[in-house]
């Protein structure tokens, strides 16, 4: 079993998993440029080759890797063992999911429990799963937003670290609402990562303990 909690003294080595454009990864890489930021974005891994996010990561001088899930057919755990090996080879201490569109098995989640976070474009526990902006519009809510949470085996059910709210405005469609939420995501994720990487927010007994 890997070390329990990220060391708070040195900058925590972070591995970001992406599947596409990587705009959240970019907001984390920009935040990590600050000398006092408690995390270093040491690696970006994609399950799809040649996505824009990999190019953007290289633009920051960040190491990248591709583990193409299609090469593993239906064997999810074999794919995850390959991802896990790349993370360990790079001495990654904390995994950040940023637009990573693969559902992870309990094997991988338990291996990184307490050291893996995700951003979800809704105010959890509302609107789990996909098409969250459509769900919000169909529900007629007046407030929507995004959440950063610890990852647990149950999808989108991990304890929330931080959230940000936006208004739902008359005339909003999925695109306009998604854009408004994305602006908040790019501010929220660097703040939430700093909380975890510094040790100020920890997953203890299934809840977020703040210190
Ligand atoms: C974001 O809206 C995130 O909340 C969701 O997927 C989208 C990824 O965007 N999980 P990007 O790849 O970070 O630009």
């Amino acid at each position: 079993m890997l070390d329990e909690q990220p060391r708070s003294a040195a900058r925590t080595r972070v591995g970001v998993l992406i599947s596409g454009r990587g705009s959240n990864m970019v907001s984390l890489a920009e935040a990590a440029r600050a000398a006092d930021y408690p995390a270093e974005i040491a690696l970006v891994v994609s399950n799809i080759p040649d996505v824009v996010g990999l190019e953007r990561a290289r633009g920051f001088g960040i190491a990248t890797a591709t583990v193409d899930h299609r090469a593993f057919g239906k064997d999810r755990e074999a794919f995850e063992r390959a991802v896990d090996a790349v993370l360990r080879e790079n001495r990654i201490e904390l995994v950040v999911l940023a637009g990573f569109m693969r559902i992870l098995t309990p094997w991988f989640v338990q291996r990184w429990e307490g050291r893996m976070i995700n951003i979800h474009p809704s105010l959890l526990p509302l609107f789990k799963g996909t098409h969250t902006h459509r769900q919000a519009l169909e529900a007629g809510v007046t407030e929507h937003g995004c959440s950063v949470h610890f990852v647990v085996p149950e999808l989108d059910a991990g304890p929330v670290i931080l959230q940000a709210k936006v208004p739902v405005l008359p005339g909003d469609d999925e695109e306009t609402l998604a854009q408004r939420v994305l602006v908040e995501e790019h501010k929220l994720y660097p703040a939430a990562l700093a909380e975890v990487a510094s040790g100020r927010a920890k997953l203890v007994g299934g809840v977020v303990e703040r210190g």
Side-chain angles (χ1 to χ4, degrees), residues 49-84:
D50 307 321
V51 292
V52 173
L54 289 172
E55 222 177 291
R56 297 169 100 179
R58 288 189 284 269
F60 283 92
I62 299 169
T64 63
T66 297
V67 182
D68 189 339
H69 67 275
R70 294 165 296 189
F72 299 86
K74 290 194 169 26
D75 192 340
R76 284 180 174 272
E77 199 174 298
F79 161 70
E80 291 171 1
R81 285 183 183 280
V83 171
D84 186 67

Side-chain angles (χ1 to χ4, degrees), residues 131-143:
H131 307 300
T132 60
H133 310 305
R134 186 189 307 164
Q135 291 186 59
L137 290 166
E138 285 170 358
V141 294
T142 57
E143 210 172 46

Side-chain angles (χ1 to χ4, degrees), residues 14-19 22 24-25 28 43 45 47 79 83 87 94-105 108-109 112 115-121 147-152 155-156 185 189 193:
V14 168
V16 182
L17 304 191
I18 67 169
S19 298
N24 275 290
M25 179 277 299
L28 298 172
L43 178 70
V45 181
N47 64 300
F79 161 70
V83 171
L87 294 169
L94 182 58
V95 174
V96 167
L97 307 181
F100 184 66
M101 303 311 278
R102 300 293 295 170
I103 295 176
L104 296 164
T105 72
F108 189 91
V109 174
W112 287 92
R115 301 184 313 141
M116 183 158 56
I117 60 177
N118 179 46
I119 189 158
H120 183 77
S147 310
V148 177
H149 62 95
F150 281 104
V151 178
V152 297
L155 187 66
D156 300 332
E185 290 185 41
Y189 220 169
L193 174 57

